[in-house]
Amino acid sequence: MYNAVGKFRLYEQIVQQIEESILKGTLHPGDQLPAERDLASQFGVSRTAIREAVKVLQEKGLVEARAGKGTFVTSGSADAVRQSINLASRISQPHGLTHLVEIREIFEPEIAAIAATQADEQHVAGMREAYATMERSRQDPESFIEADLDFHLLLAEATGNPIILSLIDSIVGLLREQRMRIFQVSGGPERGQVHHKAILEAIERRDSDAAREAMRAHLKQVRGDCLREPEPSRAAAKPLTPSGAV
Amino acid sequence: MYNAVGKFRLYEQIVQQIEESILKGTLHPGDQLPAERDLASQFGVSRTAIREAVKVLQEKGLVEARAGKGTFVTSGSADAVRQSINLASRISQPHGLTHLVEIREIFEPEIAAIAATQADEQHVAGMREAYATMERSRQDPESFIEADLDFHLLLAEATGNPIILSLIDSIVGLLREQRMRIFQVSGGPERGQVHHKAILEAIERRDSDAAREAMRAHLKQVRGDCLREPEPSRAAAKPLTPSGAV
DNA sequence: CCCAATGGTAAAGTTACCGGACCAGAAGGG
DNA sequence: CCCTTCTGGTCCGGTAACTTTACCATTGGG
């Protein structure tokens, strides 16, 4: 009924926002972040929280801080974003899946929004085909999931941003596993298709706001389906096939 | 560039969620909230945070806690919700407007979602007419705002929930002021119309998810426009007519 | 050189929140 | 009646998270 609160520390929220600005291309390699004192003002927190966040970002290899000069985005930031995602999602698989959803929630709405304005006809046609394949494959997990991944890869391609494509490409394996989990949740694929359709339609309309919001709704569903499995009442209602780990 | 973090204490977030469940009708007057220990588990916090939230809700008159029995929604909760909104929004007008946006961000997406499934043809026709009036009145603030308020009132009516209608009715005066502010921001009405259209179309399609998301996008725009005014570059770009307080 | 900007470090303080313990009231069952 | 289990009520010690303040070192420009 109620959602958990207080999941992220202040510095974690700051890290997320800065990572997003790097991924979105607002900040490029070599760019300087605002000064710590300015960031503190912008985020409405003390310098301590900022320093904590900058420390984390440095550990991730996204930025480097030089005393007297400032804090700069590293040249290998896109790779480092990818690396940090891989590390995080390998930690304890069930938890890793939740992490994956969280990361996707940050990035994929923006990917959908950009794709809505950048997709060419080839991209759109590919996404229509992927959607149709998913529709035909409701009883065939392998095919469904393959088409699902294609759909998301096409979204990434449509942005025309190689960093985004590279990032999505690197997490495709993890996405595969997440999809399998959702496939085993009653109604999971159907719900996903509703959202895929909304995303596709928004992109056809070149409506980036709608695309972003449709993707958000989709990821909210994904999160719900990922958290659903451990429920005892669900296990009683529909026995799941034991699928090994996860 | 970056958004403030840590705006709400844990207990404040809990209050918001519980208030929302009262307004949405998930909880009715006389209903019992889950036990504190259960709420703590659901929200993922300690009992201390729950007790703090319950204390605030009691001060607002939304619930009453009886030792040995439980915590119950009061019979005057809808009025109390309204009362607490009035009080909050009267505090320091510029800040009050921000509060109003925040409250709207909690409730109006849900109102739009419910309206999408409940609206009858009369409601939809009324909303179409309000939209058309707004389209014709781009240069006439009074008419535009009147139609704008009608649009939102019709949404509230369409939910078929008297509490919701009562609440929106009670904040119409405040909405009027907020509208005037947005009207003075360059492009404000146009942006609003984009969202009104998306909301209307979602409701025509009976798509509550799209309606909810369209309203969210709308309120995000409203928030941005409310925060825009103090910018000096804006004042230079387009001198605003002094409109008294606010 | 001085000055102003930057990040770096440290320490004292505050507070929101946690967790535990216990109490009293209420209700139900034996 | 007593006992058990549930509820909210109260208190307290502790601590993690964050704030604030102060100072230092580095860098670059005038």
Side-chain angles (χ1 to χ4, degrees):
Chain A
M1 184 170 175
Y2 295 117
N3 302 314
V5 294
K7 287 188 302 183
F8 298 113
R9 301 275 78 79
L10 285 187
Y11 75 87
E12 288 175 332
Q13 295 172 55
I14 294 164
V15 167
Q16 284 169 3
Q17 282 194 48
I18 294 175
E19 276 186 333
E20 187 177 349
S21 64
I22 292 173
L23 185 73
K24 281 167 63 178
T26 310
L27 287 177
H28 300 100
D31 281 1
Q32 175 170 8
L33 261 64
E36 291 180 353
R37 292 169 177 89
D38 292 340
L39 285 174
S41 173
Q42 284 185 42
F43 283 106
V45 299
S46 71
R47 242 183 96 202
T48 307
I50 299 293
R51 301 195 51 71
E52 198 67 40
V54 170
K55 193 192 307 179
V56 170
L57 290 166
Q58 284 191 92
E59 282 164 18
K60 290 186 172 191
L62 299 191
V63 302
E64 60 182 333
R66 297 185 214 124
K69 299 203 61 176
T71 303
F72 299 87
V73 179
T74 60
S75 56
S77 280
D79 287 340
V81 169
R82 195 183 340 171
Q83 193 68 12
S84 73
I85 287 168
N86 281 340
L87 285 179
S89 57
R90 285 198 191 114
I91 297 172
S92 175
Q93 286 288 55
H95 200 43
L97 288 177
T98 304
H99 282 173
L100 187 59
V101 176
E102 286 168 355
I103 288 154
R104 293 182 67 202
E105 281 172 343
I106 294 168
F107 300 138
E108 291 205 36
E110 296 305 321
I111 290 175
I114 297 169
T117 58
Q118 303 294 327
D120 62 31
E121 187 48 41
Q122 196 172 10
H123 294 131
V124 176
M127 284 158 59
R128 282 196 199 104
E129 185 166 336
Y131 175 82
T133 302
M134 284 188 273
E135 282 292 284
R136 291 194 305 262
S137 311
R138 293 282 181 83
Q139 309 305 325
D140 178 4
E142 297 285 352
S143 300
F144 187 97
I145 289 166
E146 215 53 52
D148 195 347
L149 297 179
D150 285 346
F151 188 88
H152 285 264
L153 269 172
L154 282 161
L155 271 182
E157 276 178 31
T159 64
N161 181 333
I163 294 175
I164 290 176
L165 182 57
S166 168
L167 171 64
I168 294 294
D169 191 46
S170 73
I171 66 175
V172 152
L174 298 169
L175 289 176
R176 196 183 303 274
E177 189 163 316
Q178 186 184 56
R179 296 291 192 274
M180 188 57 79
R181 173 185 279 255
I182 291 168
F183 210 90
Q184 293 163 356
V185 175
S186 177
E190 285 81 8
R191 280 194 290 276
Q193 281 292 81
V194 168
H195 295 297
H196 288 148
K197 187 174 183 186
I199 293 164
L200 179 56
E201 283 172 352
I203 286 168
E204 284 170 337
R205 293 201 307 270
R206 303 289 159 175
D207 185 344
S208 58
D209 282 342
R212 183 189 288 115
E213 301 300 341
M215 180 59 85
R216 278 207 180 116
H218 181 35
L219 292 169
K220 187 171 180 179
Q221 170 236 328
V222 169
R223 175 180 282 269
D225 286 342
C226 285
L227 295 177
R228 239 169 166 151
E229 177 140 21
E231 286 184 21
S233 61
R234 169 155 301 279
K238 179 180 170 76
L240 301 176
T241 57
S243 58
V246 185
Chain B
M1 180 172 175
Y2 294 119
N3 302 313
V5 294
K7 285 187 303 184
F8 298 113
R9 301 273 81 78
L10 287 185
Y11 75 86
E12 287 174 331
Q13 295 172 54
I14 294 162
V15 167
Q16 284 169 4
Q17 283 195 47
I18 294 175
E19 275 185 333
E20 188 177 348
S21 64
I22 291 172
L23 184 71
K24 282 167 63 178
T26 309
L27 287 175
H28 301 101
D31 280 1
Q32 175 171 8
L33 261 63
E36 290 179 356
R37 291 171 178 90
D38 291 341
L39 285 174
S41 173
Q42 284 185 41
F43 283 106
V45 298
S46 73
R47 245 184 95 203
T48 308
I50 298 294
R51 301 193 53 70
E52 198 68 37
V54 170
K55 192 191 304 178
V56 169
L57 290 166
Q58 283 192 90
E59 283 165 18
K60 289 185 172 194
L62 299 190
V63 302
E64 60 182 334
R66 297 184 214 126
K69 301 202 59 176
T71 304
F72 299 86
V73 180
T74 60
S75 56
S77 280
D79 286 339
V81 170
R82 195 183 340 170
Q83 192 68 12
S84 73
I85 287 166
N86 281 340
L87 286 178
S89 58
R90 284 197 193 115
I91 297 173
S92 176
Q93 285 289 54
H95 200 44
L97 287 177
T98 305
H99 281 173
L100 188 58
V101 176
E102 285 168 354
I103 287 154
R104 293 183 65 203
E105 281 171 343
I106 293 167
F107 300 139
E108 290 204 39
E110 297 304 321
I111 290 175
I114 297 169
T117 59
Q118 302 294 327
D120 63 29
E121 188 48 40
Q122 195 171 12
H123 295 130
V124 177
M127 285 157 61
R128 282 197 199 103
E129 185 165 336
Y131 176 82
T133 302
M134 284 187 273
E135 281 291 285
R136 289 193 306 263
S137 311
R138 293 282 181 84
Q139 310 305 326
D140 177 4
E142 297 285 352
S143 300
F144 187 97
I145 289 165
E146 215 52 52
D148 194 348
L149 298 179
D150 284 346
F151 187 88
H152 285 265
L153 268 172
L154 282 161
L155 272 182
E157 276 178 31
T159 64
N161 182 331
I163 295 174
I164 290 177
L165 183 57
S166 169
L167 170 65
I168 295 294
D169 191 46
S170 73
I171 65 175
V172 152
L174 299 169
L175 289 175
R176 195 182 305 272
E177 188 161 319
Q178 187 184 54
R179 295 292 193 276
M180 186 57 78
R181 174 186 278 260
I182 290 168
F183 210 88
Q184 293 163 358
V185 175
S186 178
E190 284 80 9
R191 283 192 292 273
Q193 281 292 81
V194 167
H195 295 298
H196 288 148
K197 188 173 182 186
I199 293 164
L200 180 56
E201 283 171 353
I203 286 167
E204 285 171 338
R205 295 197 311 268
R206 304 290 160 175
D207 186 344
S208 58
D209 283 341
R212 184 190 287 112
E213 301 300 339
M215 180 59 85
R216 278 208 180 115
H218 181 36
L219 292 168
K220 187 170 181 181
Q221 170 237 325
V222 169
R223 176 182 280 270
D225 286 343
C226 285
L227 296 177
R228 240 172 168 150
E229 176 138 23
E231 289 185 21
S233 60
R234 170 153 302 280
K238 179 181 171 76
L240 301 177
T241 56
S243 56
V246 187

